[in-house]
Amino acid sequence: MGKKIARIIGRVLLVVLVTIVMLVGTLFIMIKRICSDSAPAARNLFISTVLESGQMKFLASWFCTDAQINEVINANKMESMDSDIDTSLINISTDTDTQTVDNNGEAEQFDGNGIRMVEISGRSFFGKMLIIKDPSQVKVGTTYPWGDYGKELHEIVSGAGAVAGVNGGLYVSSGNRGGSPLGIVVQDGKITYNSPSSLSGLYLIGLNKDNLLVVKDIDGMSAADFESYVNEAGIRDAVAFQEESSDSNNHFVPLIINNEARVLKGQGSGANPRTAIGQRADGAILLLVTDGRGASGHLGATASDLISVMQEYGAVNAANLDGGSSSTMVYNGGYEMTSVTFYYQNSSWKLPTAFVVMPK
């Protein structure tokens, strides 16, 4: 009896092994074909997408030549955005009961905490957006004091006493420890992480004490410079993300500044899960999370997609945040968007920071 069971188990394992080998072989052939000169559009999307990932960048150089990689990078570059935010374009209503209308001209319906959630469907992604009527409710939640391990998004949200949230800034994601932010973190006006010169191309993304969204290039600032800036600009809550386009990274930050969309070449980026933040003219904050990397058959959203969605929902200013497997959303105690990583598909990666929405 024992030998019979062993034979059955052996046959099952053999079938599984053969299936895996066939799948890997098929995938290898497909990617090699994508990187051939006969499929330029597919190669463009493949290279630009994997260069944005934290763990799969090596696939580009494995299957494609340096010349092909550089060609794709150059074909999808974005023009820089150097304009400072014009604060006069945002007029925050002190009357939070003022009625606003949605994209169909109908009265917007907010929950008891002044939050409206909408579903977003694109050609290669699905997403959800939180619209928060009162921008003063949006803050940065953290795991400070920093340790080796961060927390899943729902833990950061509940720990802050918040009712909703999305993942925040750049952090050390290797090994899914998630305890160490990168760049800067400001929470309730206090700087809790101050290393703006540790990476090139860093931007501050957050809100000031007037509840206005700030998207600020802090590249080259020293810790002392950053401290002075936070005090002078009245920054109350902020995280960092990186602007860089190379064969080692492909990150971008500004999407819309002063109602002007960023000028892109091609789609501007690959297709990936995304998290983005924006602000409307009435001060309402927009928090967007999209899926991708095969989730529900979706590739993800490009920079062009993010700009289009933010424009559709009235963003005067908008910026890209950390995305990929980190992209996650919590609302009213549950996950609305979860990590696309298979083993965290019902939760999130461990994170050090998040944008959270406090109760009204």
Side-chain angles (χ1 to χ4, degrees), residues 47 51 60-61 64-74 246-247:
I47 292 175
L51 284 180
S61 56
C64 303
T65 66
D66 288 344
Q68 289 173 327
I69 293 171
N70 289 329
E71 180 185 349
V72 169
I73 290 171
N74 291 330
S246 71
D247 60 359

Side-chain angles (χ1 to χ4, degrees), residues 106-358:
E106 299 178 356
E108 284 190 297
Q109 301 297 317
F110 293 88
D111 68 11
N113 287 307
I115 302 171
R116 175 186 172 215
M117 189 178 74
V118 295
E119 295 186 353
I120 312 290
S121 292
R123 57 182 178 173
S124 62
F125 67 92
F126 171 78
K128 292 185 179 182
M129 177 183 284
L130 297 175
I131 304 175
I132 302 94
K133 194 168 186 179
D134 181 357
S136 69
Q137 291 175 243
V138 180
K139 301 180 181 295
V140 168
T142 74
T143 59
Y144 182 79
W146 315 115
D148 289 337
Y149 289 89
K151 295 181 180 179
E152 293 181 15
L153 180 60
H154 72 278
E155 296 176 297
I156 296 178
V157 170
S158 62
V163 293
V166 300
N167 62 292
L170 200 63
Y171 68 102
V172 180
S173 60
S174 57
N176 194 28
R177 290 174 176 265
S180 301
L182 292 171
I184 59 91
V185 179
V186 182
Q187 189 175 15
D188 292 327
K190 176 183 177 183
I191 300 173
T192 55
Y193 194 83
N194 191 358
S195 186
S197 60
S198 59
L199 291 170
S200 62
L202 286 184
Y203 270 74
L204 172 149
I205 307 165
L207 294 114
N208 64 18
K209 292 178 180 178
D210 293 324
N211 302 315
L212 299 174
L213 180 65
V214 179
V215 183
K216 172 69 175 177
D217 183 354
I218 58 171
D219 185 39
M221 280 192 184
S222 66
D225 292 336
F226 182 70
E227 185 173 352
S228 296
Y229 170 72
V230 168
N231 291 331
E232 292 168 4
I235 303 299
R236 66 163 171 86
D237 288 276
V239 297
F241 197 51
Q242 187 181 31
E243 175 84 22
E244 182 187 358
S245 181
S246 71
D247 60 359
S248 61
N249 257 324
N250 191 356
H251 292 157
F252 55 95
V253 180
L255 298 171
I256 303 169
I257 301 295
N258 302 331
N259 283 317
E260 294 293 329
R262 190 164 188 175
V263 177
L264 311 176
K265 287 185 179 180
Q267 296 298 309
S269 74
N272 272 299
R274 305 288 184 189
T275 302
I277 185 171
Q279 187 169 37
R280 301 191 314 199
D282 64 355
I285 296 295
L286 312 175
L287 297 176
L288 172 67
V289 174
T290 74
D291 65 3
R293 295 187 185 171
S296 301
H298 298 145
L299 291 173
T302 64
S304 177
D305 292 326
L306 292 183
I307 290 171
S308 294
V309 172
M310 284 293 179
Q311 286 180 319
E312 180 182 356
Y313 284 87
V316 173
N317 300 300
N320 187 39
L321 293 166
D322 191 24
S325 297
S326 301
S327 288
T328 331
M329 176 187 289
V330 164
Y331 174 57
N332 282 343
Y335 280 92
E336 293 292 339
M337 300 293 293
T338 60
S339 174
V340 296
T341 307
F342 178 75
Y343 42 90
Y344 291 105
Q345 61 182 341
N346 296 312
S347 59
S348 80
W349 278 48
K350 291 183 174 63
L351 308 166
T353 65
F355 278 104
V356 301
V357 185
M358 304 305 292

